[in-house]
Amino acid sequence: MASKKIYLTGDRPTGRLHIGHYVGSLRRRVEIQNSGDFDKMFVFIADAQALTDNIDNPEKVRQNVIEVALDYLSVGLDPEKITIFIQSQVPELTELSFYFMDLVTVSRLQRNPTVKTEIAMRNFETSIPVGFFTYPISQAADITAFKATHIPVGEDQKPMIEQATEIVRKFNSIYGETLVEPDVVLPDNAACLRLPGTDGKAKMSKSLGNCIYLSDTAEELHKKVMSMYTDPLHINVADPGHVEGNCVFTYLDAFCKDSDFAEFWPDYSNLDELKDHYRRGGLGDVKCKKFLEKILNRELEPIRERRKQFEKDIPAVYEMLKKGCEEARAAAGATLEEVKRAMKINYFDDEALIREQSVKYSQQ
Ligand code: TRP
């Protein structure tokens, strides 16, 4: 059972996806999808989770469901090879979450570092919605309903996978081996683990306005790259520069390949040489930014092109999602049946139970 490789991951539809999502997870998903080295792969739009802190803004979530679907298709996720679905359309996940709630304590949820940070960020103070507080449980249902073994996510999601693992262990220890423990799959490059915003702030976030979106035009990209945060101490070209904490170099770490030098900047043969020159002094920011812009366009142009194609037939995108939801329901439904059998809440398909009760009462 555990030898199967089942990938699963999702994104909240609260905005369009940006290049932080791309290097943190999307790029890897496409590589895995195209390698064929998996048994099943599920990628889903976590609209129900997005509603846990957007309950008064359903229109925003609804609009972004299609944005995220288009982002998925444009990076090259292919519904012929994997299953793409919408969380809320798979009610089995909600049902599973309800049973998992009995396996987790309030204090354990309070200790979840991601939930802690998010609660602080949202200024909920004492008015935390219960659904938001318990979303790690719902996320455990997302994962286990598909018996997922590999979860490609950003670093901030690690505590969620740990929480899911604990739920699996607890469930299996009480009800017998039923669910499968998941493993987190993190990006192997430190720059990709948490790509900073274009202003140098720790994370790309829509509210900070420091994101480069996958759907940005070449003009938008140009503006964003040219106004990127670099090294405040690198005032004159001749000054020695710092590459640490310098966005241009962090983005290069995430995107640059040696072949980009041959193609766009043959004065250097690799990123280390470029960094050495920048550190010594005598290399201007604008030159580095232009190089970065070319690399980002090299990566983003095919994504923009594919998006344009899919945008021409939106009904087909919804149809694809609908089919994905049906596939997902079938898979989650099979697990839910096993779960109910293990939990002894499968009254009507348990012939032994009915027989046993009949015997008991016929003897009275
Ligand atoms: N919490 C994830 C995010 O914010 C989205 C998500 C929901 C998810 N369920 C999941 C990711 C299950 C991986 C597995 O991006």
Side-chain angles (χ1 to χ4, degrees), residues 7-23:
Y7 282 87
L8 174 134
T9 186
D11 302 276
R12 290 184 199 177
T14 50
R16 291 178 286 151
L17 300 181
H18 52 61
I19 61 171
H21 294 114
Y22 184 69
V23 295

Side-chain angles (χ1 to χ4, degrees), residues 48-68:
Q49 189 177 105
L51 284 168
T52 63
D53 65 331
N54 284 286
I55 200 65
D56 50 358
N57 206 350
E59 193 54 39
K60 168 174 134 188
V61 174
R62 173 156 77 170
Q63 295 292 332
N64 283 306
V65 165
I66 188 74
E67 291 294 339
V68 172

Side-chain angles (χ1 to χ4, degrees), residues 8-12 44 46 49 87 135 139 142-143 151 153 157 161:
L8 174 134
T9 186
D11 302 276
R12 290 184 199 177
F44 72 99
Q49 189 177 105
Q87 187 185 29
Y135 93 74
Q139 190 153 335
D142 300 337
I143 294 169
I151 319 294
V153 280
Q157 294 297 306
I161 317 306

